Amino acid sequence: MAPKIQNILFKNGTPVPALGLGTWNSPPGQVTQAVKDAIEVGYRHIDCAHVYENEHEVGAGIAAKVGPGNVKREDLFVTSKLWNTYHLPDLVRGALQVTLRNLNLKYLDLYLIHWPVAYREGDVLFPLRPDGKRVHFSDVDYVDTWPAMERLVDAGLVRNIGLSNFNVQQVQRVLNVARIAPATNQIECHPYLQQAALSEYCRGQGVTVTAYSPLGSPARPWVKQDDPVLMDDPVVRKLAKKHSKSAAQILIRYQIQLGHLVIPKSVSKERIASNADVFGFELDAEDLAQLGGLERNGRICPESFSFGHPHHPFEAEFRKGRR
């Protein structure tokens, strides 16, 4: 049995388990079991999204574990995300209702705008242009989407709302119009992409950072043979040996000590349990400095489909790093 997972408080006082199960890129047919395994070993935080196309499997896993003798729904913290083709305010509630049906839930604990970029409206997740490399854009501005997110809270369908993949200026634009402030900004975060300035800004605004791809997403579909593997980095391996922990445990612990929520993905029960065993040790100041020194602006998820979109959050820095 994994140690009890500690909570972090959102600015509004909502407790959130610091560690959650990520479900992006989990192989079809394995997600239901992964969710059941995670709940069995002590996870209470499940992160999913409409675009992952596996929310029905997540829902089946939750349904198998919620009930008499198992966990209660209110013990779980379930997150999902509004996809880019549903930014039009009139489409937001319908998109959420699809997610709730797929998850077989009556409410979400957290609903995020998945990206600040809007795609052409419709049910095609990536409405590609003829070149097959970029998508058709919509001109909907995410600050117009935000009030529709707030209305989901008013309706009791969502307990908290937030952002994902928003840069500093974009978070500020939402804060400028928000009646209900975003609870979190979920961003790619690991030692090869620290996003320290964004994290510090969010902290100063009371917006909790949630770190995705904390292990460097070694199984991402577009990985290249010569891409660096974070978990094989000599510094990470040295710290794993020092603390008698796995490389994954070092990387997850790092995010927790930065004050971030963290959502590593796995479908292996052994690794799911191991990933939660990170609350019985601490990285010291020298360890943190060594991990902080690994920065290489190594963005795994550049969202290149939407390069050229006026609201792309980090195209400029991505292109600058490739000069």
Side-chain angles (χ1 to χ4, degrees):
M1 179 66 70
K4 182 172 174 56
I5 294 171
Q6 297 169 357
N7 285 339
I8 286 177
L9 293 180
F10 282 156
K11 185 179 180 181
N12 64 11
T14 300
V16 188
L19 177 76
L21 178 73
T23 60
W24 173 64
N25 199 32
S26 293
Q30 300 182 35
V31 182
T32 296
Q33 189 60 49
V35 170
K36 291 195 291 185
D37 290 342
I39 292 173
E40 279 182 15
V41 301
Y43 286 67
R44 296 295 179 264
H45 178 178
I46 310 293
D47 181 87
C48 45
H50 175 74
V51 75
Y52 303 165
E53 298 186 278
N54 59 13
E55 289 191 322
H56 58 293
E57 293 189 52
V58 174
I62 291 172
K65 290 297 173 183
V66 171
N70 288 313
V71 300
K72 299 174 182 175
R73 167 63 185 97
E74 54 266 32
D75 295 332
L76 298 179
F77 190 94
V78 182
T79 300
S80 188
K81 309 176 189 81
L82 177 77
W83 184 237
N84 305 346
T85 53
Y86 305 112
H87 281 206
L88 197 67
D90 288 349
L91 300 179
V92 170
R93 183 162 178 155
L96 170 69
Q97 288 171 332
V98 169
T99 277
L100 290 175
R101 282 198 300 272
N102 286 337
L103 291 171
N104 194 27
L105 296 176
K106 294 180 179 177
Y107 70 91
L108 289 179
D109 298 276
L110 176 64
Y111 198 42
L112 310 177
I113 299 180
H114 203 150
W115 290 86
V117 295
Y119 292 172
R120 184 173 67 187
E121 290 74 26
D123 292 328
V124 177
L125 296 175
F126 293 91
L128 292 177
R129 301 183 189 192
D131 64 8
K133 295 178 180 178
R134 289 194 302 157
V135 295
H136 287 283
F137 300 152
S138 166
D139 61 2
V140 179
D141 191 323
Y142 53 83
V143 296
D144 296 322
T145 309
W146 189 252
M149 298 285 285
E150 294 175 324
R151 288 192 288 274
L152 301 178
V153 179
D154 298 338
L157 297 172
V158 170
R159 300 286 172 86
N160 301 274
I161 49 177
L163 310 170
S164 184
N165 300 300
F166 278 55
N167 64 29
V168 168
Q169 293 77 18
Q170 292 169 335
V171 175
Q172 186 60 57
R173 285 190 75 219
V174 173
L175 287 169
N176 289 345
V177 303
R179 175 171 56 86
I180 301 173
T184 190
N185 187 19
Q186 185 179 125
I187 59 175
E188 180 185 341
C189 197
H190 46 78
Y192 286 170
L193 184 73
Q194 307 269 342
Q195 306 227 67
L198 177 55
S199 178
E200 183 179 354
Y201 165 79
C202 287
R203 185 180 301 111
Q205 300 299 317
V207 178
T208 301
V209 166
T210 302
Y212 73 75
S213 297
L215 311 181
S217 289
R220 61 191 181 276
W222 52 86
V223 68
K224 298 185 182 72
Q225 193 169 0
D226 60 347
D227 282 348
V229 179
L230 176 59
M231 287 196 287
D232 289 341
D233 189 278
V235 169
V236 177
R237 293 173 71 92
K238 181 179 72 174
L239 294 177
K241 184 175 181 181
K242 171 183 173 180
H243 291 279
S244 299
K245 293 291 182 180
S246 70
Q249 289 169 327
I250 296 297
L251 294 169
I252 293 166
R253 181 69 202 178
Y254 180 53
Q255 295 300 326
I256 290 169
Q257 288 190 223
L258 290 175
H260 298 166
L261 299 169
V262 58
I263 48 171
K265 184 271 296 182
S266 180
V267 293
S268 156
K269 186 171 185 177
E270 181 181 357
R271 285 196 295 272
I272 288 169
S274 175
N275 287 348
D277 189 13
V278 293
F279 296 95
F281 79 104
E282 283 205 10
L283 301 169
D284 61 33
E286 184 181 348
D287 300 336
L288 296 173
Q290 289 185 57
L291 289 167
L294 295 180
E295 176 68 79
R296 54 174 72 188
N297 296 312
R299 191 176 292 281
I300 289 164
C301 299
E303 186 63 357
S304 56
F305 273 130
S306 53
F307 279 173
H309 196 294
H311 295 148
H312 195 290
F314 33 68
E315 179 182 358
E317 58 103 76
F318 183 81
R319 292 199 183 284
K320 182 180 178 182
R322 292 297 186 269
R323 283 178 184 167

mmCIF file of all heavy atoms in Angstrom, residues 35 53 89 92-93 95 118 120 129-130 145 152 164 181 188 191 193 236 278-279 289 312 316 321 323:
data_model
loop_
_atom_site.group_PDB
_atom_site.id
_atom_site.type_symbol
_atom_site.label_atom_id
_atom_site.label_comp_id
_atom_site.label_asym_id
_atom_site.label_seq_id
_atom_site.Cartn_x
_atom_site.Cartn_y
_atom_site.Cartn_z
ATOM 1 N N VAL A 35 -6.874 2.964 -13.835
ATOM 2 C CA VAL A 35 -7.639 3.782 -12.887
ATOM 3 C C VAL A 35 -8.019 2.940 -11.665
ATOM 4 O O VAL A 35 -7.894 3.396 -10.514
ATOM 5 C CB VAL A 35 -8.886 4.381 -13.571
ATOM 6 C CG1 VAL A 35 -9.825 5.021 -12.545
ATOM 7 C CG2 VAL A 35 -8.468 5.405 -14.628
ATOM 8 N N GLU A 53 -9.528 10.844 -25.759
ATOM 9 C CA GLU A 53 -10.426 9.835 -26.333
ATOM 10 C C GLU A 53 -10.473 8.536 -25.510
ATOM 11 O O GLU A 53 -10.643 7.455 -26.054
ATOM 12 C CB GLU A 53 -10.054 9.540 -27.781
ATOM 13 C CG GLU A 53 -10.179 10.744 -28.703
ATOM 14 C CD GLU A 53 -9.955 10.412 -30.160
ATOM 15 O OE1 GLU A 53 -8.781 10.327 -30.578
ATOM 16 O OE2 GLU A 53 -10.959 10.234 -30.880
ATOM 17 N N PRO A 89 -18.528 30.221 -26.601
ATOM 18 C CA PRO A 89 -19.240 30.138 -25.312
ATOM 19 C C PRO A 89 -20.473 29.241 -25.338
ATOM 20 O O PRO A 89 -20.723 28.514 -24.372
ATOM 21 C CB PRO A 89 -19.590 31.597 -25.025
ATOM 22 C CG PRO A 89 -18.484 32.373 -25.663
ATOM 23 C CD PRO A 89 -18.153 31.633 -26.924
ATOM 24 N N VAL A 92 -19.636 25.424 -24.693
ATOM 25 C CA VAL A 92 -18.875 24.965 -23.527
ATOM 26 C C VAL A 92 -19.670 23.973 -22.676
ATOM 27 O O VAL A 92 -19.163 22.903 -22.315
ATOM 28 C CB VAL A 92 -18.417 26.177 -22.682
ATOM 29 C CG1 VAL A 92 -17.830 25.722 -21.348
ATOM 30 C CG2 VAL A 92 -17.399 26.999 -23.467
ATOM 31 N N ARG A 93 -20.907 24.301 -22.365
ATOM 32 C CA ARG A 93 -21.689 23.405 -21.504
ATOM 33 C C ARG A 93 -21.937 22.056 -22.183
ATOM 34 O O ARG A 93 -21.852 21.005 -21.536
ATOM 35 C CB ARG A 93 -23.014 24.059 -21.114
ATOM 36 C CG ARG A 93 -23.843 23.207 -20.163
ATOM 37 C CD ARG A 93 -24.904 24.019 -19.459
ATOM 38 N NE ARG A 93 -25.727 23.192 -18.588
ATOM 39 C CZ ARG A 93 -26.373 23.646 -17.535
ATOM 40 N NH1 ARG A 93 -26.305 24.928 -17.217
ATOM 41 N NH2 ARG A 93 -27.112 22.841 -16.791
ATOM 42 N N ALA A 95 -20.004 20.575 -24.335
ATOM 43 C CA ALA A 95 -18.752 19.826 -24.310
ATOM 44 C C ALA A 95 -18.550 19.174 -22.941
ATOM 45 O O ALA A 95 -18.145 18.004 -22.839
ATOM 46 C CB ALA A 95 -17.582 20.749 -24.638
ATOM 47 N N ALA A 118 -8.022 28.398 -30.130
ATOM 48 C CA ALA A 118 -9.319 27.867 -30.547
ATOM 49 C C ALA A 118 -9.203 27.321 -31.969
ATOM 50 O O ALA A 118 -8.601 27.952 -32.842
ATOM 51 C CB ALA A 118 -10.383 28.957 -30.497
ATOM 52 N N ARG A 120 -11.346 25.490 -35.392
ATOM 53 C CA ARG A 120 -12.644 25.563 -36.051
ATOM 54 C C ARG A 120 -13.641 24.656 -35.350
ATOM 55 O O ARG A 120 -13.348 23.497 -35.055
ATOM 56 C CB ARG A 120 -12.506 25.151 -37.528
ATOM 57 C CG ARG A 120 -13.792 25.298 -38.329
ATOM 58 C CD ARG A 120 -13.543 25.031 -39.810
ATOM 59 N NE ARG A 120 -13.187 23.634 -40.040
ATOM 60 C CZ ARG A 120 -12.787 23.159 -41.225
ATOM 61 N NH1 ARG A 120 -12.667 23.974 -42.267
ATOM 62 N NH2 ARG A 120 -12.473 21.879 -41.358
ATOM 63 N N ARG A 129 -5.799 21.566 -42.149
ATOM 64 C CA ARG A 129 -5.774 22.238 -43.448
ATOM 65 C C ARG A 129 -5.279 21.243 -44.501
ATOM 66 O O ARG A 129 -4.763 20.171 -44.160
ATOM 67 C CB ARG A 129 -4.850 23.452 -43.377
ATOM 68 C CG ARG A 129 -5.265 24.475 -42.326
ATOM 69 C CD ARG A 129 -4.353 25.680 -42.353
ATOM 70 N NE ARG A 129 -4.620 26.545 -41.199
ATOM 71 C CZ ARG A 129 -4.145 27.779 -41.083
ATOM 72 N NH1 ARG A 129 -3.384 28.297 -42.040
ATOM 73 N NH2 ARG A 129 -4.425 28.505 -40.009
ATOM 74 N N PRO A 130 -5.395 21.616 -45.784
ATOM 75 C CA PRO A 130 -4.973 20.676 -46.839
ATOM 76 C C PRO A 130 -3.519 20.215 -46.727
ATOM 77 O O PRO A 130 -3.194 19.099 -47.156
ATOM 78 C CB PRO A 130 -5.200 21.488 -48.119
ATOM 79 C CG PRO A 130 -6.319 22.419 -47.779
ATOM 80 C CD PRO A 130 -6.085 22.791 -46.354
ATOM 81 N N THR A 145 -14.413 32.780 -23.618
ATOM 82 C CA THR A 145 -14.763 31.428 -23.185
ATOM 83 C C THR A 145 -14.886 31.358 -21.660
ATOM 84 O O THR A 145 -15.715 30.614 -21.125
ATOM 85 C CB THR A 145 -13.683 30.430 -23.652
ATOM 86 O OG1 THR A 145 -13.448 30.596 -25.057
ATOM 87 C CG2 THR A 145 -14.072 28.990 -23.372
ATOM 88 N N LEU A 152 -20.507 27.167 -15.482
ATOM 89 C CA LEU A 152 -20.536 25.745 -15.117
ATOM 90 C C LEU A 152 -20.419 25.580 -13.599
ATOM 91 O O LEU A 152 -21.032 24.679 -13.017
ATOM 92 C CB LEU A 152 -19.399 24.993 -15.807
ATOM 93 C CG LEU A 152 -19.383 25.028 -17.338
ATOM 94 C CD1 LEU A 152 -18.155 24.275 -17.864
ATOM 95 C CD2 LEU A 152 -20.664 24.430 -17.918
ATOM 96 N N SER A 164 -4.820 25.507 -18.846
ATOM 97 C CA SER A 164 -3.743 24.580 -19.173
ATOM 98 C C SER A 164 -2.975 25.145 -20.356
ATOM 99 O O SER A 164 -3.587 25.615 -21.326
ATOM 100 C CB SER A 164 -4.314 23.195 -19.507
ATOM 101 O OG SER A 164 -3.268 22.257 -19.747
ATOM 102 N N ALA A 181 -11.628 33.144 -10.209
ATOM 103 C CA ALA A 181 -10.242 33.061 -10.672
ATOM 104 C C ALA A 181 -9.864 31.625 -11.008
ATOM 105 O O ALA A 181 -10.353 30.676 -10.378
ATOM 106 C CB ALA A 181 -9.301 33.599 -9.599
ATOM 107 N N GLU A 188 3.387 21.739 -18.965
ATOM 108 C CA GLU A 188 4.497 20.787 -19.050
ATOM 109 C C GLU A 188 5.604 21.264 -18.124
ATOM 110 O O GLU A 188 6.029 22.416 -18.190
ATOM 111 C CB GLU A 188 4.999 20.714 -20.488
ATOM 112 C CG GLU A 188 6.162 19.754 -20.667
ATOM 113 C CD GLU A 188 6.744 19.759 -22.072
ATOM 114 O OE1 GLU A 188 6.043 20.225 -23.013
ATOM 115 O OE2 GLU A 188 7.883 19.297 -22.232
ATOM 116 N N PRO A 191 12.660 18.710 -15.312
ATOM 117 C CA PRO A 191 13.955 19.389 -15.263
ATOM 118 C C PRO A 191 14.488 19.893 -16.603
ATOM 119 O O PRO A 191 15.272 20.842 -16.629
ATOM 120 C CB PRO A 191 14.881 18.324 -14.666
ATOM 121 C CG PRO A 191 13.987 17.552 -13.761
ATOM 122 C CD PRO A 191 12.685 17.453 -14.525
ATOM 123 N N LEU A 193 12.551 21.235 -18.820
ATOM 124 C CA LEU A 193 11.694 22.394 -19.115
ATOM 125 C C LEU A 193 11.111 22.869 -17.783
ATOM 126 O O LEU A 193 10.030 22.462 -17.383
ATOM 127 C CB LEU A 193 10.576 22.040 -20.094
ATOM 128 C CG LEU A 193 9.719 23.244 -20.517
ATOM 129 C CD1 LEU A 193 10.477 24.153 -21.479
ATOM 130 C CD2 LEU A 193 8.407 22.791 -21.146
ATOM 131 N N VAL A 236 19.918 12.671 -12.645
ATOM 132 C CA VAL A 236 18.731 12.000 -12.108
ATOM 133 C C VAL A 236 19.105 10.622 -11.576
ATOM 134 O O VAL A 236 18.686 10.222 -10.478
ATOM 135 C CB VAL A 236 17.635 11.901 -13.179
ATOM 136 C CG1 VAL A 236 16.421 11.138 -12.652
ATOM 137 C CG2 VAL A 236 17.216 13.289 -13.655
ATOM 138 N N VAL A 278 6.467 8.665 -2.674
ATOM 139 C CA VAL A 278 7.376 9.817 -2.757
ATOM 140 C C VAL A 278 7.204 10.778 -1.584
ATOM 141 O O VAL A 278 7.735 11.891 -1.613
ATOM 142 C CB VAL A 278 7.165 10.581 -4.089
ATOM 143 C CG1 VAL A 278 7.597 9.741 -5.271
ATOM 144 C CG2 VAL A 278 5.713 11.033 -4.241
ATOM 145 N N PHE A 279 6.487 10.341 -0.558
ATOM 146 C CA PHE A 279 6.211 11.235 0.572
ATOM 147 C C PHE A 279 7.027 10.880 1.810
ATOM 148 O O PHE A 279 6.848 11.505 2.858
ATOM 149 C CB PHE A 279 4.713 11.240 0.876
ATOM 150 C CG PHE A 279 3.896 11.810 -0.259
ATOM 151 C CD1 PHE A 279 3.327 10.968 -1.200
ATOM 152 C CD2 PHE A 279 3.737 13.178 -0.405
ATOM 153 C CE1 PHE A 279 2.591 11.486 -2.260
ATOM 154 C CE2 PHE A 279 3.013 13.707 -1.455
ATOM 155 C CZ PHE A 279 2.442 12.851 -2.386
ATOM 156 N N ALA A 289 19.144 22.008 -6.516
ATOM 157 C CA ALA A 289 19.971 22.843 -7.379
ATOM 158 C C ALA A 289 20.477 22.052 -8.585
ATOM 159 O O ALA A 289 20.532 22.572 -9.708
ATOM 160 C CB ALA A 289 21.136 23.419 -6.584
ATOM 161 N N HIS A 312 -1.231 31.325 -29.743
ATOM 162 C CA HIS A 312 -0.310 30.226 -29.404
ATOM 163 C C HIS A 312 0.549 30.657 -28.226
ATOM 164 O O HIS A 312 1.148 31.732 -28.242
ATOM 165 C CB HIS A 312 0.574 29.852 -30.599
ATOM 166 C CG HIS A 312 1.252 28.526 -30.417
ATOM 167 N ND1 HIS A 312 2.255 28.338 -29.493
ATOM 168 C CD2 HIS A 312 1.032 27.323 -30.996
ATOM 169 C CE1 HIS A 312 2.644 27.074 -29.527
ATOM 170 N NE2 HIS A 312 1.908 26.439 -30.434
ATOM 171 N N ALA A 316 6.728 31.529 -30.074
ATOM 172 C CA ALA A 316 7.878 32.421 -30.228
ATOM 173 C C ALA A 316 9.118 31.849 -29.536
ATOM 174 O O ALA A 316 10.204 31.810 -30.128
ATOM 175 C CB ALA A 316 7.550 33.805 -29.669
ATOM 176 N N GLY A 321 14.303 28.994 -29.720
ATOM 177 C CA GLY A 321 15.205 27.940 -29.264
ATOM 178 C C GLY A 321 15.699 27.041 -30.371
ATOM 179 O O GLY A 321 16.664 26.301 -30.195
ATOM 180 N N ARG A 323 16.642 28.309 -33.389
ATOM 181 C CA ARG A 323 17.465 29.076 -34.329
ATOM 182 C C ARG A 323 18.884 28.538 -34.370
ATOM 183 O O ARG A 323 19.420 28.108 -33.369
ATOM 184 C CB ARG A 323 17.489 30.559 -33.917
ATOM 185 C CG ARG A 323 16.221 31.300 -34.280
ATOM 186 C CD ARG A 323 16.277 32.726 -33.806
ATOM 187 N NE ARG A 323 15.020 33.415 -34.064
ATOM 188 C CZ ARG A 323 14.710 34.580 -33.545
ATOM 189 N NH1 ARG A 323 15.550 35.182 -32.732
ATOM 190 N NH2 ARG A 323 13.563 35.159 -33.825
#
